[in-house]
Amino acid sequence: MEKKIALITGATSGIGEACALRFAHGGYNLILTGRDGERLKAVGDAAINLGAEVLTLQYDVRDLAACEAAVNSLTGRWAAVDVLINNAGLALGLEKEYMGDTNQWDTMIDTNIKGLLYMTRLIVPGMVARDQGHVINIGSVAGDAAYANGNVYCATKAAVKAITDGLRIDVMESSVRVTNIKPGLVETNFSVTRFSGDTEKAANVYKGIKPLTGTDIADVAFYAASAPPHVQIAEVLVLATHQASGSAIYRN
């Protein structure tokens, strides 16, 4: 039986890297995308060691022309993506909205929203035409309610929820499934990126609580993709045990 293909954006670290390894272990071949070619190769090599065939595509999802060129370069079986994991995303800054950096706003909006839309627009028509496929968007608990100083990031993840829900309605006459996974605290490079490389500030985000890992979220994504064809895992909120919402966290 021919292996299914999963395309994972932002596959160079964190949840994206974990999804690559989990889906490789689960019998998928992979198309891995990201901006860092060296990291792409490292993750790809790790997936190959788990038995996957891997194609890496280095580009930035914010760049529509680059997205189009990357997807148009897929030929043969690689062009028939079975699972699209829209994972590429980031948070930048933690300031009050009226003090925010507009360049950081642009980067978050262009990556978290527009990049996801670009990849969806390019991949999903093929899924609908084949009457099979699965889109898994990595949202966030931040999309459910704003938290202090999270303003624009929270807005982008609220958009992911709305876009995911809208897509699910738009494809419901087909057999394409659509899932929104909303993690809470996950210890990855997320906070290091948010604080511009300040590892001490990043570490404080997870102080006093055992956070989720990228692997925890990858397991949820794989579970959703592995459900029987008539079962659509529409939305999953995944929190650390001592986290109750985006802002309610008990720290020991």
Side-chain angles (χ1 to χ4, degrees), residues 19-95:
C19 283
L21 300 181
R22 181 65 186 89
F23 277 73
H25 184 265
Y28 279 73
N29 291 329
L30 304 174
I31 302 169
L32 305 180
T33 87
R35 294 177 296 168
D36 186 331
E38 190 173 316
R39 283 297 306 154
L40 267 181
K41 183 180 185 308
V43 176
D45 287 346
I48 289 169
N49 289 336
L50 292 171
E53 292 180 43
V54 176
L55 181 65
T56 58
L57 299 172
Q58 184 181 357
Y59 67 95
D60 189 333
V61 295
R62 293 179 295 172
D63 184 338
L64 175 57
C67 291
E68 290 173 334
V71 173
N72 290 338
S73 74
L74 300 175
T75 59
R77 179 66 185 97
W78 290 108
V81 174
D82 296 287
V83 178
L84 168 64
I85 302 179
N86 279 314
N87 165 74
L90 76 169
L92 294 171
L94 199 64
E95 293 83 30

Side-chain angles (χ1 to χ4, degrees), residues 110-125:
D110 289 349
T111 306
N112 300 359
I113 301 175
K114 292 169 69 177
L116 179 150
L117 283 170
Y118 293 160
M119 292 305 298
T120 300
R121 178 66 181 85
L122 291 165
I123 297 296
V124 172

Side-chain angles (χ1 to χ4, degrees), residues 13-18 87 89-90 153 183-194 199 202-203 205-206 211-217:
S13 65
I15 293 172
E17 178 181 3
N87 165 74
L90 76 169
Y153 173 70
L185 281 175
V186 184
E187 189 167 13
T188 61
N189 286 333
F190 176 87
S191 291
V192 176
T193 300
R194 167 168 256 174
T199 55
V205 173
Y206 312 106
L212 302 167
T213 67
T215 300
D216 295 326
I217 306 307

Side-chain angles (χ1 to χ4, degrees), residues 218-243:
D219 284 341
V220 175
F222 189 79
Y223 170 77
S226 303
H230 71 286
V231 177
Q232 180 171 215
I233 309 298
E235 187 171 283
V236 184
L237 175 63
V238 191
L239 304 174
T241 297
H242 295 291
Q243 179 179 16

